[in-house]
Amino acid sequence: DAKTTQPPSMDCAEGRAANLPCNHSTISGNEYVYWYRQIHSQGPQYIIHGLKNNETNEMASLIITEDRKSSTLILPHATLRDTAVYYCIVRVASGNTGKLIFGQGTTLQVKP
Amino acid sequence: EAQVTQNPRYLITVTGKKLTVTCSQNMNHEYMSWYRQDPGLGLRQIYYSMNVEVTDKGDVPEGYKVSRKEKRNFPLILESPSPNQTSLYFCASRYRVRNTEAFFGQGTRLTVV
């Protein structure tokens, strides 16, 4: 599975969009980009995933560059409850052990 | 409500006293796994199970055992706990190994003294 690089921390004002970058320059053609978050030592929570196209769900949007070497998770209107560690993970969809490789993630602090 | 339930949430025990952390999911998921989380080391997979009676080692299996006799349950067993197993443990499940969305339990904070 490809390695990811994320900034260790970011701040965002409440109500503003939070844009969390992830670099995955060694991603392979069959590897997906996943985002999870962990709020204060709770179990990680799935947010969104994508392969090539941009994706949106009720929680967030995922923007993947055309060369797929980087992506951005967008929380459109951040709230205090979005303060968490956000993990970007890349992995193949099948033929593996199912292990999720969590790096150090980005600690997002949403401020009033 | 779809959920993964771990018990206990907190446990303090002594070295060498066998313990079991239970994990149960109500989503009929085939794939289940255990992770431990330690400061500076992130989440690491201990064991996983592709289906009933099918289990395999993850990255840090030493000192742990698991079983998968029923689809919904995947207990983590520490036969002789040691202080280096003090950690935050998470159970996770997903419908199949290929699926994207993993559901995690709320965690078990274990302290071995």
Side-chain angles (χ1 to χ4, degrees):
Chain A
D1 293 335
K3 182 178 178 179
T4 63
T5 304
Q6 299 177 253
S9 64
M10 293 182 66
D11 289 343
C12 177
E14 188 178 20
R16 303 299 291 269
N19 296 281
L20 292 93
C22 180
N23 183 287
H24 31 79
S25 58
T26 60
I27 193 170
S28 300
N30 62 348
E31 288 183 313
Y32 285 72
V33 180
Y34 299 71
W35 283 84
Y36 283 76
R37 73 179 182 184
Q38 186 175 24
I39 299 173
H40 188 53
S41 296
Q42 295 179 19
Q45 176 189 24
Y46 166 83
I47 301 173
I48 199 167
H49 77 282
L51 182 63
K52 293 181 183 178
N53 299 321
N54 299 337
E55 302 287 345
T56 295
N57 63 19
E58 65 278 3
M59 288 182 68
S61 295
L62 174 60
I63 308 297
I64 303 173
T65 58
E66 194 167 341
D67 63 8
R68 302 210 323 122
K69 294 185 176 182
S70 66
S71 60
T72 300
L73 178 75
I74 301 172
L75 307 178
H77 305 287
T79 71
L80 299 178
R81 287 176 294 181
D82 291 321
T83 292
V85 179
Y86 287 77
Y87 297 99
C88 171
I89 301 169
V90 295
R91 60 180 289 265
V92 297
S94 63
N96 61 14
T97 67
K99 176 176 64 178
L100 297 173
I101 302 174
F102 290 84
Q104 297 303 310
T106 296
T107 299
L108 175 68
Q109 182 74 45
V110 181
K111 299 186 175 183
Chain B
E1 180 189 354
Q3 59 185 2
V4 177
T5 303
Q6 292 178 229
N7 280 297
R9 293 289 310 280
Y10 302 90
L11 179 60
I12 301 174
T13 190
V14 295
T15 297
K17 185 177 180 182
K18 181 180 178 180
L19 68 91
T20 298
V21 183
T22 63
C23 174
S24 179
Q25 50 92 5
N26 62 359
M27 296 167 280
N28 200 37
H29 285 174
E30 289 183 355
Y31 183 92
M32 298 184 74
S33 59
W34 277 101
Y35 290 81
R36 61 177 288 174
Q37 185 172 28
D38 302 287
L41 297 176
L43 285 121
R44 295 176 292 168
Q45 190 183 59
I46 304 171
Y47 267 95
Y48 65 94
S49 170
M50 297 279 195
N51 213 324
V52 175
E53 302 291 1
V54 181
T55 64
D56 210 341
K57 298 177 180 178
D59 294 325
V60 288
E62 294 77 21
Y64 305 94
K65 287 174 58 177
V66 293
S67 69
R68 188 91 183 273
K69 295 186 173 63
E70 308 164 280
K71 202 170 191 177
R72 63 184 294 127
N73 296 323
F74 190 45
L76 180 69
I77 303 157
L78 285 72
E79 294 270 2
S80 182
S82 63
N84 64 12
Q85 292 178 297
T86 291
S87 187
L88 179 59
Y89 292 87
F90 291 104
C91 178
S93 76
R94 64 176 73 152
Y95 184 58
R96 291 197 185 98
V97 65
R98 291 193 301 274
N99 279 66
T100 59
E101 183 175 4
F103 292 80
F104 283 79
Q106 286 302 299
T108 295
R109 189 169 291 281
L110 173 66
T111 302
V112 184
V113 298

